[in-house]
């Protein structure tokens, strides 16, 4: 799992070679592997690193294509989180 900056987080939260092999390389730097740790309505709290969490939402594409609740992330799922562009750019 050499593509991720926080190896300790990934190992502690159950990431393994299966997840890494499912991902396309090279990674864009704005995307991060994260674990869903809390769900509140249409918001998800994701763990991005040992001491880093963030709020996230699903993309419009997923919302449009979802057929049922099971199509959305659940607590414990691994997701790819895309960081929004900085306002300064």
């Amino acid at each position: 799992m050499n593509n991720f900056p926080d190896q300790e987080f990934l190992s502690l939260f159950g990431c393994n070679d299966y997840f890494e092999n499912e991902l396309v390389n090279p990674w864009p730097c704005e995307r991060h592997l994260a674990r869903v740790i809390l769900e509140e309505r249409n918001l998800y709290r994701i763990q991005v690193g040992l001491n880093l969490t963030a709020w996230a939402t699903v993309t419009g594409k997923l919302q449009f294509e979802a057929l049922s609740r099971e199509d959305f992330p659940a607590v414990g799922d691994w997701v790819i989180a895309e960081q929004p562009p900085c306002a300064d750019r």
Side-chain angles (χ1 to χ4, degrees), residues 25-75:
N25 291 316
W27 265 116
C29 61
E30 306 85 29
R31 293 185 178 176
H32 306 279
L33 189 59
R35 190 107 191 237
V36 177
I37 59 171
L38 177 70
E39 179 184 352
E40 285 191 22
R41 299 187 186 197
N42 296 328
L43 289 175
Y44 298 89
R45 190 74 172 169
I46 56 173
Q47 184 89 31
V48 184
L50 281 176
N51 298 308
L52 181 60
T53 62
W55 286 104
T57 60
V58 297
T59 63
K61 180 179 179 181
L62 177 61
Q63 289 178 355
F64 179 75
E65 293 177 349
L67 300 176
S68 69
R69 172 67 192 98
E70 287 78 28
D71 293 328
F72 288 90
V75 172

